[in-house]
Amino acid sequence: MTGTRRRLRTLVAISALGLVVTACSSEGGAQDEGGSAAAEGEEYTIAMVTHEAPGDTFWDKIRNGAEAAAANHNITLNYSNNQDAGEQSTLIQNAIDSGVAGIATTMPTPDAIGPNVQKAVDAGIPVVAFNAGINDYKNYGVSMYFGSDEDLAGQTVGTRITEQTPGHTVCVIQEQGQVQLEARCAGVAKTNPDTEVLYVNGRDLPAVQQTIGAKLQEDASITNVVTLGADIALAAGQAKADSGSQANVVTFDLNADVAEAIESGDISFSVDQQPYVQGYMAVTALWLNLTNGNDIGGGGPVLTGPSIVDQNNIGPIVEYANNNTR
């Protein structure tokens, strides 16, 4: 965790340095004799393509980070999304066809999305992967990745549950087959073997609540419910209340409501992957590559999580969550 934070601080410092250089050049300061894009303040168009589901507040943080980086680096950001893997792959092809300077994409279903990612790389378009696909991005020619180690994050949850609230655990997956979600629950089971997976339809929150509630009523031995998204956590909390269960609710990811629930004790803790940082660094890394040929991470992923948020550190994070930056 300490090494991760140190790397992130270094990346932010690199980004800030780039801003200073650009500002000086545009104001007639020290000029690059070769007339580089950075010195001239050249504008770039970058496509960001994600598997965002409608209404999922998690992606607001991704976009806020990406848009902040775009504003800082003179970039036009074209954001598009589709939770269907085939449609997301088509959006990547559209970005290639439109002649963008770079692409930042998630890879939740690599087999479907990866081939068009490889097309972009083969066409000479720099591609950065983020958020999903940590174990697969290299297979499609991508050299940079920003996100959480989901297996490690899951193991972190399992270890903490085993120490604090041992017992039967249900890990709720809202999109069956997405590699990052499956990895989280698999990680939980590695360090808390008394874990079973419950699949729900994350596109229908009332149905999610009903499914979790039915499971809690059916099995009184459930001690922990682990959810993989903030909206699913809130549905689990309501299901717990309606069923009279005493199970602890733990989640991945944050939003303002989850932050308040952690503060009040209704949710035990969250594993935050810091999506604002993912969006910001994906765009910034492309800018650095386009203007200075930089590759960040040494061929490995740059980790933005896992970062535990609980009652011990929730205080200032509530404000950040309300601002959609955490």
Side-chain angles (χ1 to χ4, degrees):
M1 294 296 293
T2 301
T4 298
R5 294 192 183 97
R6 187 179 298 115
R7 277 183 287 173
L8 288 173
R9 286 196 296 268
T10 301
L11 291 172
V12 171
I14 292 171
S15 177
L17 178 59
L19 289 176
V20 171
V21 172
T22 302
C24 289
S25 299
S26 64
E27 294 171 7
Q31 298 291 324
D32 184 307
E33 291 182 1
S36 73
E40 296 172 358
E42 183 173 340
E43 294 185 16
Y44 293 99
T45 296
I46 287 175
M48 175 168 279
V49 184
T50 78
H51 60 283
E52 174 184 350
D56 189 343
T57 57
F58 172 86
W59 298 96
D60 295 342
K61 301 169 185 61
I62 293 275
R63 292 189 69 171
N64 283 348
E67 288 168 359
N72 287 343
H73 300 310
N74 207 25
I75 287 168
T76 298
L77 182 69
N78 291 342
Y79 182 93
S80 61
N81 62 284
N82 200 300
Q83 64 193 106
D84 178 83
E87 294 296 331
Q88 186 184 354
S89 182
T90 297
L91 292 174
I92 292 171
Q93 182 63 58
N94 292 344
I96 296 170
D97 295 341
S98 69
V100 296
I103 297 173
T105 187
T106 60
M107 299 182 68
T109 46
D111 290 347
I113 296 167
N116 276 352
V117 169
Q118 184 72 62
K119 284 185 183 179
V121 173
D122 292 344
I125 300 173
V127 179
V128 168
F130 69 100
N131 179 261
I134 190 171
N135 295 321
D136 301 280
Y137 70 96
K138 292 182 184 178
N139 297 336
Y140 301 99
V142 179
S143 62
M144 292 184 278
Y145 181 92
F146 298 92
S148 183
D149 183 328
E150 303 294 8
D151 178 69
L152 173 62
Q155 291 188 52
T156 300
V157 171
T159 297
R160 187 162 176 141
I161 285 173
T162 300
E163 293 172 349
Q164 296 182 354
T165 55
H168 186 51
T169 297
V170 172
C171 191
V172 183
I173 295 181
Q174 69 266 28
E175 287 285 346
Q176 186 170 1
Q178 287 195 358
V179 291
Q180 76 283 5
L181 302 182
E182 300 284 353
R184 288 175 177 179
C185 284
V188 174
K190 285 181 181 178
T191 49
N192 184 61
D194 190 9
T195 296
E196 67 169 303
V197 170
L198 176 66
Y199 289 104
V200 298
N201 178 8
R203 307 180 192 192
D204 185 348
L205 286 176
V208 170
Q209 181 178 321
Q210 291 170 7
T211 302
I212 296 173
K215 185 67 176 178
L216 291 172
Q217 288 180 329
E218 170 192 313
D219 188 352
S221 73
I222 296 173
T223 306
N224 304 287
V225 176
V226 177
T227 64
L228 308 184
D231 293 338
I232 308 299
L234 297 171
Q238 189 60 54
K240 170 186 171 180
D242 292 345
S243 66
S245 171
Q246 298 302 307
N248 299 291
V249 177
V250 173
T251 193
F252 287 72
D253 300 335
L254 275 172
N255 64 15
D257 291 331
V258 167
E260 291 179 4
I262 292 171
E263 191 171 41
S264 68
D266 291 334
I267 292 177
S268 297
F269 65 92
S270 170
V271 182
D272 184 23
Q273 59 180 303
Q274 303 185 102
Y276 181 90
V277 178
Q278 293 176 11
Y280 188 93
M281 290 311 306
V283 172
T284 299
L286 285 170
W287 178 80
L288 286 168
N289 183 269
L290 289 164
T291 61
N292 204 46
N294 296 116
D295 289 307
I296 299 171
V302 177
L303 300 185
T304 64
S307 175
I308 297 293
V309 178
D310 58 19
Q311 284 189 316
N312 294 320
N313 62 354
I314 191 62
I317 293 177
V318 170
E319 179 181 352
Y320 304 145
N322 282 323
N323 292 335
N324 265 331
T325 58
R326 188 67 192 270

